[in-house]
Amino acid sequence: MNFVAGVAKCQNYEREEVERSMTLAVERAGGMPDIAPREVLVKANMLSPSEPELAVTTHPEILRAIAGEIRKTCDFPIRIADNPGYIFTDAGSLLEKTGINGITGIEGVTAGLLSDMGIRDVRRDSFRALDSARISARYLDAGFCVNAAKLKTHVETEISGCIKNIFGTADIGTRKKCHSSPSQKRLADAIVDLYSIRPPEFNVLDAVVGMEGDGPSHGQPRQVGYIVAGRNALAVDWVASAIMGYDDPLCVPLMASAAERGIGPRARTEIVLNGADWDELPVKGFKKSSGLVRAFPTFLRGFVHKLVSISPKLDKRRCLGCGICRNVCPVDAISDAPGPDGKKLPAIDRLKCVSCLCCHEMCPTGAMTAHKNLLARLAEASRF
Ligand code: SF4
Ligand code: SF4
């Protein structure tokens, strides 16, 4: 089986340069496949409320150019969305800081959180590490998905490109479960399980400025100068690995797990690379992640993830008793309890609650707040 990856040089985030390079990369990847007549989802990397210059998130000009490419072929609504890292719950500041709110000039483009239409339980016999996963309904139902990833290092998974970007389609509980995996291999298998649920139809990697060092939040921005595109996320990630200087991408557990399951290429010879030669891709002196975090057993890191907790908490004064939170709760953890003046107030069954925060996101008055424990507040302050 041959996979195709399209590469185009792109030196900066000037609008014309990005648009020209995006068109070239998409063409070289063989173009986007046919789009089903429903909402088109652009799954961005919006890990944290960080300015585009920090290279933590997909650059807004890249997202704008992707929307422009989609518009050339259809006029269906385009939604740019992601679930940020689970210590960040404020959609307003996320969209503002990442510059995504400033994407204008293309009709029918909106942006928001990926979980705003609820989440769904998914089980597959083919899962290797997960029993089940809870995935954004918006992602599952999209007529077409463009995976708009950022080239970054990652202290746990070594690289963060297209396949890792799909991790953000899962709810908080599922992501925590993955991070609690007993080994790096098991974590990789869990991420590949998530990816296999609904592989995106097209993938774009923002490698204009990537992140080196100990990513995906605290590495250093590094000029790279490419946009990479392809229908197979793993083929694009092979290119990302080559850029980062991996001679054998299969030494990265994530890449090995996907290859083992036939989800991506098993060898470089299976990839048709258009627009560049493999030899010219490695960025001289690119700093991979240090491996310091990986030196700790995965279960210990998972334990830390478990200690960081955010849970819904009701502010009775602002509650209208509208029942929206009860209706969106995926595990029926909210019931009606008597409140003042005959009003019904939501009561949360803490044993059932999986902390997905759908109730918080959907509450029209902000009465269902997201309560962060001390570790979550510390992590947020340091942009963990
Ligand atoms: S959605 Fe908000 S306002 Fe409505 S019942 Fe729930 S907490 Fe109260
Ligand atoms: S009560 Fe818990 S499980 Fe239900 S929607 Fe809120 S956070 Fe999610």
Side-chain angles (χ1 to χ4, degrees):
M1 183 177 184
N2 272 341
F3 300 92
V4 180
V7 179
K9 290 203 165 119
C10 184
Q11 296 307 329
N12 55 53
Y13 289 112
E14 295 294 324
R15 184 160 298 173
E16 279 183 14
E17 169 84 351
V18 174
E19 284 178 347
R20 184 191 58 77
S21 303
M22 186 65 71
T23 301
L24 268 180
V26 171
E27 275 173 15
R28 287 170 177 169
M32 289 195 192
D34 290 343
I35 293 179
R38 292 204 302 279
E39 180 176 273
V40 180
L41 177 72
V42 178
K43 198 297 181 184
N45 183 325
M46 290 152 60
L47 178 63
S48 65
S50 307
E51 292 77 6
E53 304 73 56
L54 297 177
V56 174
T57 51
T58 316
H59 197 283
E61 284 300 330
I62 293 284
L63 297 170
R64 189 182 182 282
I66 292 172
E69 288 299 311
I70 295 166
R71 267 294 159 270
K72 287 179 185 171
T73 61
C74 76
D75 55 8
F76 309 130
I78 299 172
R79 180 75 167 179
I80 299 170
D82 191 16
N83 286 327
Y86 50 77
I87 51 173
F88 303 106
T89 54
D90 176 5
S93 72
L94 183 73
L95 295 173
E96 195 61 44
K97 281 254 177 76
T98 53
I100 290 169
N101 261 353
I103 297 175
T104 54
I106 299 175
E107 284 283 301
V109 179
T110 57
L113 295 179
L114 203 43
S115 52
D116 65 352
M117 284 178 63
I119 49 175
R120 234 179 265 148
D121 262 326
V122 179
R123 287 165 200 272
R124 294 276 191 279
D125 290 342
S126 56
F127 279 176
R128 286 198 181 169
L130 298 171
D131 302 323
S132 64
R134 302 169 56 74
I135 303 293
S136 147
R138 192 159 210 146
Y139 175 66
L140 294 173
D141 294 343
F144 189 93
C145 176
V146 179
N147 181 15
K150 183 83 174 171
L151 179 139
K152 295 189 286 181
T153 51
H154 196 291
V155 289
E156 285 188 275
T157 58
E158 301 192 38
I159 71 165
S160 176
C162 291
I163 191 164
K164 179 66 175 60
N165 197 39
I166 294 304
F167 193 55
T169 62
D171 78 336
I172 294 169
T174 304
R175 283 183 277 165
K176 281 193 170 193
K177 206 158 57 181
C178 294
H179 279 299
S180 311
S181 303
S183 67
Q184 202 189 1
K185 161 94 173 79
R186 189 91 172 159
L187 171 61
D189 283 344
I191 295 169
V192 177
D193 283 348
L194 293 177
Y195 175 80
S196 70
I197 292 169
R198 186 219 186 280
E201 281 76 11
F202 200 75
N203 305 273
V204 173
L205 184 73
D206 170 6
V208 180
V209 177
M211 178 179 282
E212 65 178 4
D214 284 341
S217 298
H218 294 298
Q220 296 81 42
R222 175 74 193 255
Q223 174 70 26
V224 174
Y226 290 116
I227 293 174
V228 189
R231 296 185 182 192
N232 182 278
L234 276 305
V236 176
D237 281 352
W238 269 73
V239 178
S241 312
I243 288 171
M244 292 183 187
Y246 286 91
D247 293 331
D248 177 14
L250 293 183
C251 69
V252 177
L254 206 45
M255 303 292 289
S257 171
E260 227 176 81
R261 292 159 76 167
I263 285 172
R266 293 187 174 92
R268 202 167 87 174
T269 49
E270 292 181 359
I271 304 170
V272 176
L273 181 66
N274 292 327
D277 291 326
W278 288 106
D279 294 346
E280 71 181 86
L281 289 176
V283 171
K284 210 173 164 197
F286 188 93
K287 287 192 206 110
K288 296 174 186 157
S289 69
S290 66
L292 195 67
V293 171
R294 292 191 295 281
F296 290 92
T298 317
F299 72 89
L300 273 185
R301 284 178 265 141
F303 181 64
V304 174
H305 278 279
K306 275 184 184 157
L307 291 180
V308 174
S309 110
I310 305 181
S311 49
K313 188 175 175 191
L314 183 68
D315 178 348
K316 288 182 186 171
R317 291 162 309 167
R318 292 154 84 185
C319 180
L320 306 172
C322 66
I324 290 175
C325 54
R326 188 193 60 225
N327 292 336
V328 298
C329 179
V331 293
D332 294 327
I334 301 180
S335 56
D336 286 335
D341 308 326
K343 200 164 66 170
K344 286 181 179 154
L345 292 180
I348 300 168
D349 181 337
R350 298 285 165 191
L351 291 176
K352 280 189 180 175
C353 175
V354 292
S355 296
C356 65
L357 296 181
C358 289
C359 51
H360 162 70
E361 279 161 27
M362 299 303 284
C363 174
T365 64
M368 195 60 90
T369 62
H371 177 72
K372 300 172 186 182
N373 71 358
L374 182 62
L375 261 184
R377 291 200 297 277
L378 287 173
E380 185 181 38
S382 68
R383 290 235 177 111
F384 177 70

